[in-house]
Amino acid sequence: MAGVTDIGAGQTYSTPIGLLYIFNLIVGTGALALPKAFQTAGFVLSTALLCISAFVSYICATFLVEGMSIANALMCKNGKSKKFQSENCNGTDENGESSTSRNEMFSYNIVEKVEVSEMSNMISNRFGVFFCYLSLTVYLFGDLAIYSTTVPKSIMNVICGSVNSTISVDSPCHEKWPTFLTRFNVYRICVLLFIAFCIPMVIIGITKTKYIQLSTSISRWTAFSLMVVLASIQLMKEGPKGNPPAIDWSNFGNLFGVSVYSFMCHHSIPSLITPMKDKSKIYRNLFVIYLIVLGFYVTLATTGAFAFEHAQDIYTLNFLHDHNTSIIYNIIDYFLALFPVFTLTTNYPIVAITLINNLKVLSKMVASQTTSSVNDDIETERLLSDSDNEDSENEDRNHGNGTAVRSGRSNEVFVKYFIPTVAIALPTLLSLSTENVLLLACITGSYPGVGVQFIIPCLVVIGARAFAKKELSQDVKNKFASPFQHSVWPYVVFGWTLFALINVTINLSNRIL
């Protein structure tokens, strides 16, 4: 998962560019934890689970695309879409072919971006909408915690030197430094400095421009390519130093969580697929993308698991302080070690702003439940917006009511100050308490990540199909219907999710106890 991605309104691009965006979105920093997960869980179990995760993730991606098409059809039929041209709603699709009868004024063409939250709001009950917002919000909390742990840990290891796994986090950072400056305390200082650096960017609402996106994409692929090449060279020269087992079920939890986290892209699928000019072969293209990503992940994780005796939970650290002393190798080593710092620092403000927006919407939903009033504006909220366009000022419409004024001011303070503070403080506290990136990725991927990647798409497609059967003509074929049309498929995903969560919970419980 490479961070929240959104495309500017009205912007379109060719299919190859759209697929490149999806590819870049899937392959993110979650891949850096895969080599350690492979090494501890076993290469056979890891490869099998990664294949299953890729397949289930692909199924759920097709469910979301189908949900988008049905949501577009409903908007077209009800006249709520401004982007539909008259021919699109009057029976002509984007290729000029007849798609509707005279009595059915709608089209399944995906021309209007409908976010995951909006799909849930349109075709699900209130609990489904609340679950969607809650899952995404908790997932973003975990995402921020991973960011605010990975960056400081990388900086700490650059400052303190050796990343030998036998060195305790309570060991001194340097022999001549004061004893209280242990590696873990230096890490905590780095956490605080990182947050202090990012807070101003969150306040001013910085977004990822196309230039930042281009530079981070180039650095990401340079880093990943270097890691595969360097690990392969080391394997050929020195042979395997790592000795991972074939199967170690006790580490299933870490592996599953990291696998889910590594294939996360579903929250941004509407933003990336809608602007694509040609969507006629979207499922085939998505399948190819998933195959390429799967092959890359297996290659990266396998070479890392066998090339190093102890793979780090931030894989780039394995290349730091290599025994090679040439200038070129030193430059490469420090580039790889600092690679997460560059990429995640640019992503952190975007994810933080998104989390703040989600918390505001979630607080409105909770408030409306408490007061038994329905918030009519929830339908128009954008869950994964990169910027906060919501006016935080609560206008006092009843100047004669002093209680209403005080209530409005209290709500203004809550929205403007308390929610952003919580959004930043909770992930920071998690990072200050642990530097175990693998554990954070495991928990984030296994629980809220499962909700976002597996459960929500299944709920969306079940609700969408029921809604389409009731509201739309069955004579009109949905060309974006998922290849997994049988009603059993969502429940297969539910079954796999339940099986995995039980095993993850057992694994984590055994470690705690």
Side-chain angles (χ1 to χ4, degrees):
M1 186 268 187
V4 178
T5 301
D6 195 12
I7 305 299
Q11 181 178 345
T12 60
Y13 40 71
S14 64
T15 299
I17 295 298
L19 296 176
L20 180 62
Y21 279 143
I22 296 173
F23 189 73
N24 286 338
L25 177 65
I26 297 176
V27 181
T29 51
L32 297 179
L34 278 174
K36 184 174 180 64
F38 259 58
Q39 195 174 69
T40 55
F43 61 92
V44 174
L45 176 61
S46 299
T47 303
L49 183 58
L50 206 59
C51 291
I52 295 173
S53 295
F55 180 62
V56 177
S57 180
Y58 170 72
I59 292 175
C60 293
T62 66
F63 285 167
L64 285 180
V65 175
E66 180 176 345
M68 290 163 56
S69 68
I70 294 174
N72 270 264
L74 291 170
M75 295 172 69
C76 182
K77 182 180 179 181
N78 297 330
K80 293 183 178 181
S81 174
K82 297 180 180 179
K83 292 185 179 180
F84 277 99
Q85 301 296 325
S86 59
E87 61 266 21
N88 282 338
C89 284
N90 289 336
T92 305
D93 64 16
E94 59 190 4
N95 295 320
E97 299 176 355
S98 177
S99 60
T100 61
S101 66
R102 290 183 178 180
N103 296 327
E104 297 298 335
M105 309 292 282
F106 68 89
S107 167
Y108 285 104
N109 293 330
I110 302 175
V111 298
E112 190 84 43
K113 184 176 73 172
V114 185
E115 297 288 6
V116 176
S117 58
E118 294 175 295
M119 283 188 275
S120 299
N121 196 52
M122 292 175 65
I123 56 186
S124 184
N125 56 31
R126 185 173 297 180
F127 172 77
V129 177
F130 182 79
F131 177 79
C132 174
Y133 277 86
L134 182 63
S135 297
L136 278 159
T137 300
V138 176
Y139 174 80
L140 289 173
F141 267 118
D143 215 18
L144 278 188
I146 292 172
Y147 284 18
S148 56
T149 301
T150 303
V151 172
K153 185 172 182 177
S154 299
I155 297 174
M156 180 272 289
N157 278 283
V158 170
I159 295 173
C160 295
S162 176
V163 292
N164 192 316
S165 61
T166 60
I167 297 179
S168 170
V169 292
D170 295 323
S171 302
C173 182
H174 288 287
E175 292 182 1
K176 296 182 179 180
W177 284 20
T179 55
F180 72 89
L181 287 177
T182 62
R183 294 174 67 89
F184 193 62
N185 285 339
V186 171
Y187 159 76
R188 284 175 167 171
I189 294 172
C190 292
V191 171
L192 296 176
L193 291 176
F194 171 70
I195 298 302
F197 178 79
C198 289
I199 284 178
M201 293 190 288
V202 176
I203 294 174
I204 65 177
I206 190 172
T207 59
K208 179 181 280 190
T209 66
K210 62 180 180 180
Y211 301 107
I212 295 178
Q213 180 166 318
L214 178 62
S215 61
T216 54
S217 296
I218 293 174
S219 64
R220 177 166 63 246
W221 284 110
T222 302
F224 281 128
S225 300
L226 283 172
M227 285 185 280
V228 171
V229 171
L230 292 176
S232 300
I233 292 174
Q234 183 167 318
L235 278 172
M236 289 186 290
K237 285 185 176 181
E238 303 177 12
K241 292 183 178 180
N243 186 27
I247 297 175
D248 185 351
W249 198 262
S250 64
N251 286 298
F252 176 90
N254 286 342
L255 178 63
F256 176 75
V258 172
S259 298
V260 172
Y261 189 72
S262 297
F263 281 106
M264 182 64 70
C265 66
H266 300 66
H267 54 291
S268 293
I269 280 181
S271 299
L272 296 180
I273 289 182
T274 303
M276 291 172 60
K277 294 178 181 178
D278 182 10
K279 310 177 189 72
S280 59
K281 299 178 181 178
I282 185 62
Y283 293 133
R284 187 195 68 178
N285 292 333
L286 275 177
F287 185 74
V288 172
I289 290 295
Y290 268 90
L291 279 181
I292 295 174
V293 172
L294 175 62
F296 171 75
Y297 279 170
V298 172
T299 303
L300 177 74
T302 303
T303 54
F306 283 95
F308 298 97
E309 184 178 0
H310 300 286
Q312 300 291 326
D313 55 358
I314 304 176
Y315 182 46
T316 51
L317 296 178
N318 279 104
F319 300 90
L320 184 62
H321 305 300
D322 191 71
H323 62 273
N324 295 291
T325 57
S326 68
I327 296 178
I328 295 178
Y329 269 102
N330 281 332
I331 293 174
I332 292 175
D333 290 347
Y334 280 98
F335 167 74
L336 291 177
L338 294 174
F339 153 69
V341 177
F342 304 138
T343 56
L344 297 188
T345 301
T346 58
N347 280 340
Y348 185 94
I350 303 169
V351 178
I353 292 169
T354 302
L355 175 58
I356 292 170
N357 293 340
N358 295 344
L359 285 172
K360 290 178 180 179
V361 175
L362 199 59
S363 66
K364 285 185 178 182
M365 296 180 70
V366 173
S368 67
Q369 285 287 94
T370 304
T371 59
S372 300
S373 63
V374 178
N375 187 349
D376 295 329
D377 293 332
I378 290 180
E379 183 175 350
T380 61
E381 290 286 346
R382 295 282 179 175
L383 182 60
L384 293 174
S385 172
D386 282 348
S387 61
D388 184 9
N389 296 321
E390 179 184 339
D391 185 6
S392 61
E393 298 290 332
N394 291 317
E395 182 180 359
D396 177 24
R397 297 182 179 180
N398 187 359
H399 297 283
N401 192 332
T403 303
V405 173
R406 289 191 296 271
S407 176
R409 289 175 179 173
S410 299
N411 187 58
E412 177 185 344
V413 171
F414 178 80
V415 171
K416 190 173 183 179
Y417 299 105
F418 182 75
I419 287 180
T421 301
V422 170
I424 300 297
L426 286 184
T428 303
L429 291 175
L430 280 174
S431 297
L432 289 172
S433 64
T434 181
E435 45 90 55
N436 192 334
V437 176
L438 185 62
L439 177 63
L440 292 175
C442 168
I443 295 175
T444 301
S446 297
Y447 295 103
V450 160
V452 174
Q453 189 171 150
F454 297 159
I455 298 178
I456 290 176
C458 289
L459 293 177
V460 164
V461 81
I462 291 173
R465 289 171 180 174
F467 216 88
K469 187 175 182 180
K470 179 181 178 181
E471 300 290 336
L472 302 176
S473 171
Q474 298 303 299
D475 296 330
V476 182
K477 184 178 179 181
N478 184 359
K479 60 184 177 181
F480 293 109
S482 168
F484 306 95
Q485 274 296 294
H486 199 286
S487 59
V488 75
W489 279 109
Y491 298 97
V492 170
V493 176
F494 286 146
W496 164 247
T497 301
L498 180 62
F499 167 79
L501 286 180
I502 290 174
N503 280 278
V504 170
T505 304
I506 292 174
N507 286 170
L508 291 176
S509 299
N510 290 337
R511 292 185 185 184
I512 295 174
L513 300 176

